Amino acid sequence: MEYQLSNSSDVDNWKEVILVYSSALKEISTKIEILNDEFQHVHRYNPIEHIKSRIKTSESIVKKLKKNGYESTIENMVKYVNDIAGIRIICSFTTDIYRIAEMLVNQNDVKVLAVKDYIKNPKPSGYKSYHMIDRIIEAKVEVQIRTVAMDFWASLEHKINYKFEGNAPEHIKDELYACAQMVSALDAKMLSLNEEIQAIEKEQNTQ
């Protein structure tokens, strides 16, 4: 299912397009790392646990185009596939997710094209994450921001969907959804605990 390159011109165009997406991914990754360093310097707190990035394979691009009824062309790839370049930001707490999203929105050279807040509005499966489609140096980059617990759950869901090709048995779907509720409860409890600790520290510093 690889994208078929018929001549040298197609090969050159493909390489050029992928180079642009790779450059955009590197640029926004560097930007996020700098924002994290600045946040840590000002607030004495590091909101980001770690960052993952990837360029979608040609096979995945073709599969997505076919799924949505488009021919496998470079033009359609650029126009209709928003997650060729993707970056995932893993945080400790849900409040960090919105802090980071706001910092990205405030960058002059980053244009936010779309936002999907699956934290406030989870998918039916229970999936939670914050998605942004950003444009940087003329290329779209999908940014996913989630907590460690959300990322763990999403990783398991991905494995299950891959194993059963999107048709997992109902009891497994039910168990996965129940786990999603546990993840939400855990995130809320951890956030509450962290806020209590910060309040105690603030009180001690004012005494």
Side-chain angles (χ1 to χ4, degrees):
M1 200 182 284
E2 293 274 333
Y3 178 78
Q4 298 300 313
L5 302 171
S6 57
N7 53 53
S8 60
S9 178
D10 282 345
V11 172
D12 290 340
N13 288 339
W14 173 266
K15 288 181 178 179
E16 184 177 344
V17 168
I18 294 302
L19 178 61
V20 170
Y21 280 101
S22 297
S23 299
L25 195 56
K26 289 177 182 177
E27 186 164 332
I28 200 164
S29 295
T30 302
K31 185 177 293 293
I32 290 167
E33 289 172 1
I34 292 171
L35 287 173
N36 188 44
D37 290 343
E38 290 176 353
F39 191 94
Q40 187 171 7
H41 176 72
V42 174
H43 301 283
R44 300 294 188 270
Y45 172 67
N46 187 345
I48 297 175
E49 290 288 334
H50 57 272
I51 300 169
K52 304 175 184 176
S53 61
R54 63 102 183 96
I55 295 291
K56 214 173 186 66
T57 65
S58 59
E59 183 179 6
S60 295
I61 293 170
V62 170
K63 187 175 181 181
K64 191 157 194 175
L65 285 171
K66 287 188 174 181
K67 180 181 178 182
N68 293 305
Y70 300 113
E71 290 184 27
S72 302
T73 65
I74 292 177
E75 182 180 0
N76 285 344
M77 176 185 88
V78 172
K79 186 175 182 180
Y80 298 114
V81 183
N82 291 325
D83 61 345
I84 293 172
I87 187 163
R88 186 173 299 152
I89 306 169
I90 312 301
C91 311
S92 296
F93 307 104
T94 51
T95 49
D96 295 333
I97 293 171
Y98 294 102
R99 285 194 187 107
I100 293 165
E102 184 179 5
M103 286 191 292
L104 282 174
V105 167
N106 291 333
Q107 297 302 299
N108 293 330
D109 54 348
V110 174
K111 182 179 180 181
V112 179
L113 302 179
V115 170
K116 291 183 179 179
D117 190 342
Y118 294 117
I119 297 171
K120 292 180 179 177
N121 302 290
K123 290 184 179 181
S125 65
Y127 175 89
K128 282 190 171 186
S129 186
Y130 189 93
H131 292 197
M132 303 172 69
I133 303 297
D134 297 337
R135 183 181 293 281
I136 186 166
I137 59 168
E138 299 307 313
K140 290 179 285 188
V141 178
E142 183 186 57
V143 180
Q144 298 180 358
I145 317 173
R146 58 179 66 151
T147 65
V148 175
M150 290 176 193
D151 191 54
F152 179 46
W153 185 94
S155 177
L156 178 59
E157 185 201 34
H158 178 76
K159 290 176 183 176
I160 289 172
N161 284 334
Y162 181 81
K163 176 71 174 178
F164 294 100
E165 297 182 347
N167 294 305
E170 286 302 319
H171 73 279
I172 291 182
K173 291 181 182 178
D174 292 342
E175 288 289 340
L176 192 62
Y177 182 79
C179 287
Q181 306 312 301
M182 295 178 194
V183 165
S184 295
L186 176 62
D187 273 335
K189 188 66 177 177
M190 294 293 283
L191 176 60
S192 176
L193 182 60
N194 184 61
E195 289 175 343
E196 184 177 347
I197 293 169
Q198 289 179 331
I200 292 171
E201 288 178 343
K202 185 176 181 180
E203 184 179 345
Q204 289 175 339
N205 291 334
T206 56
Q207 290 177 353

